[in-house]
Amino acid sequence: MTGVAQQGRRARPRPVAVAIGVLVAIIVVFFMRRLVTDVPHVVAGTVPDDDLAEKYVAHPWLAYGHIVPGMVYLLGAPFQLSRTFRSRHYALHRRLGRVLLGCALVSGVLSVVLGVVFAWGRGAETSATVVFGSWFVVTLLLAFRAIRDGRVAQHRRWMVRAFAVGLGVATIRIWVGIFTGIQIGLLGMGDATMPLRATFGVAFWLGLSMHVVFAEWWLRRTPDLDG
């Protein structure tokens, strides 16, 4: 019975792992699209027609100071949260953790700055960015304090919360796609590539809050993170 129970525990995270892989892939795709859109304009000193892209081109150091460290964090965090990786490469886990923590903190702080100063979705985007960006930074700091105090289980729980919020960027994109499809289908805006500004902010609230709620639900159902 013990072997069966252990196999069940190992099998349980697989759907979550698949979902994480899909969400990270979405983020990578949009990151590459962002580069393809922005870099030619930054190099040539031109302004894109898309007013959303314009803020990235006009403030590339701030925008990519947030995006690039965030990408490093999101690509590395799944390894950090993997029990197999930790057990086999514990020294690397600790060294990589310091790098990823720094990247995540920089990305999180700058996300709040961007949300306040250059919010395309206006007040709804700003409020969502401030609330969830601040929560992201707080979870990272609490995770760091926990590991410094030797509270390993609590450290991992806070890191799960941080990673869940970070992955919310992908779910925001999914909601943006849904709202864009709705406006094309119902409003007849056949040339639309982005949703209305009001729904853009709503996408932030929906995507990020879903991830916060899911993380808490998953943590309640996974009491053995100290292993």
Side-chain angles (χ1 to χ4, degrees):
M1 290 297 292
T2 302
V4 173
Q6 290 177 343
Q7 289 179 359
R9 283 197 298 270
R10 286 195 295 268
R12 239 184 339 221
R14 288 177 184 171
V16 175
V18 171
I20 289 173
V22 170
L23 293 173
V24 170
I26 290 172
I27 293 171
V28 170
V29 168
F30 276 91
F31 173 67
M32 298 306 296
R33 287 186 60 186
R34 187 80 272 143
L35 288 177
V36 170
T37 301
D38 297 345
V39 170
H41 289 288
V42 173
V43 172
T46 55
V47 178
D49 296 331
D50 182 355
D51 57 350
L52 176 61
E54 184 179 347
K55 74 174 186 178
Y56 292 97
V57 173
H59 308 278
W61 291 107
L62 179 58
Y64 283 90
H66 156 64
I67 294 173
V68 173
M71 278 298 306
V72 173
Y73 167 72
L74 289 173
L75 291 173
F79 295 99
Q80 292 297 96
L81 295 172
S82 166
R83 184 175 302 181
T84 301
F85 181 82
R86 287 197 308 269
S87 61
R88 294 180 180 177
H89 309 285
Y90 184 68
L92 178 59
H93 168 79
R94 295 187 64 183
R95 289 194 294 269
L96 182 60
R98 297 186 185 100
V99 174
L100 295 180
L101 176 65
C103 288
L105 286 171
V106 170
S107 181
V109 170
L110 291 183
S111 73
V112 175
V113 175
L114 282 168
V116 171
V117 181
F118 304 114
W120 190 80
R122 299 193 177 107
E125 180 186 346
T126 296
S127 59
T129 304
V130 170
V131 169
F132 295 105
S134 299
W135 174 243
F136 178 67
V137 171
V138 167
T139 58
L140 292 168
L141 294 175
L142 291 174
F144 177 72
R145 187 176 72 175
I147 200 63
R148 288 293 299 268
D149 294 342
R151 294 179 285 115
V152 177
Q154 290 301 313
H155 165 75
R156 291 175 184 162
R157 288 178 174 276
W158 285 116
M159 290 308 297
V160 166
R161 291 182 175 103
F163 184 55
V165 177
L167 276 183
V169 173
T171 305
I172 290 171
R173 301 305 175 191
I174 294 173
W175 279 109
V176 167
I178 291 172
F179 288 135
T180 302
I182 290 173
Q183 76 184 42
I184 292 173
L186 298 183
L187 304 180
M189 300 172 64
D191 59 345
T193 57
M194 290 292 294
L196 301 174
R197 286 180 183 264
T199 58
F200 191 73
V202 173
F204 271 71
W205 274 102
L206 287 173
L208 295 171
S209 62
M210 286 172 59
H211 279 247
V212 170
V213 171
F214 178 81
E216 295 304 319
W217 174 83
W218 188 83
L219 286 169
R220 288 178 180 272
R221 291 176 55 89
T222 312
D224 58 344
L225 285 182
D226 55 343

